[in-house]
Amino acid sequence: GARQQAELCNESLMLEKLPACGKFFEEMMKKVDSKKWCNLTEFIMYYDNFTQCTEREANNASCFWPNPLAEGFITGIHKQFFSNCTSEKVHWEDPPDEILITLILIPVMLTCAMITLVVWCSKRSDIL
């Protein structure tokens, strides 16, 4: 059979080309108000182009994607643009006692009423 020669990843070439992807992304992000940088819908197309660019440049350098060097570059871009974007965790609180008691008592009372109805109907089965 034919022997395939695996091409080695040219990391130097890849690292030389990736900044062009970052520069293009940076120029596109200048069009977006910095207050909206945490809203992915505002720049999803730019980010998609950036991702495709990094993948293309990695492949052109015979490197797989993502790889540790490309990930490091992408992480740097994330730090530059998205370092202030933190996920807000929802802090759950119990409802006020009046509401909580009502929410507990309604199913308990309905259950008691249904049991009473079933018992009452079963005792009257001779009449029905």
Side-chain angles (χ1 to χ4, degrees):
R3 181 176 165 230
Q4 289 184 342
Q5 181 180 0
E7 294 184 46
L8 294 177
C9 173
N10 187 341
E11 293 176 348
S12 301
L13 177 63
M14 182 185 65
L15 289 175
E16 181 181 311
K17 298 292 184 175
L18 287 180
C21 300
K23 186 72 173 163
F24 181 75
F25 181 69
E26 185 176 339
E27 289 177 18
M28 293 296 104
M29 287 299 285
K30 287 180 182 175
K31 297 178 180 182
V32 178
D33 183 3
S34 61
K35 294 174 187 166
K36 297 180 179 181
W37 282 2
C38 295
N39 184 353
L40 187 61
T41 58
E42 295 290 330
F43 61 87
I44 187 68
M45 293 296 292
Y46 305 145
Y47 191 81
D48 182 53
N49 290 337
F50 168 70
T51 303
Q52 289 180 18
C53 180
T54 59
E55 184 174 6
R56 182 176 53 251
E57 294 303 340
N59 290 333
N60 287 344
S62 301
C63 301
F64 64 92
W65 186 93
N67 61 61
L69 292 175
E71 286 177 357
F73 178 77
I74 293 168
T75 300
I77 294 293
H78 278 230
K79 286 180 182 175
Q80 180 180 351
F81 290 99
F82 313 122
S83 61
N84 292 331
C85 301
T86 57
S87 61
E88 295 179 16
K89 298 198 179 210
V90 178
H91 178 68
W92 295 98
E93 293 183 17
D94 288 336
D97 286 344
E98 302 81 34
I99 294 174
L100 189 59
I101 289 170
T102 304
L103 291 173
I104 292 171
L105 287 180
I106 288 175
V108 169
M109 296 302 232
L110 283 173
T111 303
C112 290
M114 293 304 290
I115 291 171
T116 303
L117 184 63
V118 168
V119 169
W120 183 72
C121 285
S122 67
K123 286 185 176 183
R124 296 185 42 105
S125 64
D126 57 333
I127 298 173
L128 298 173

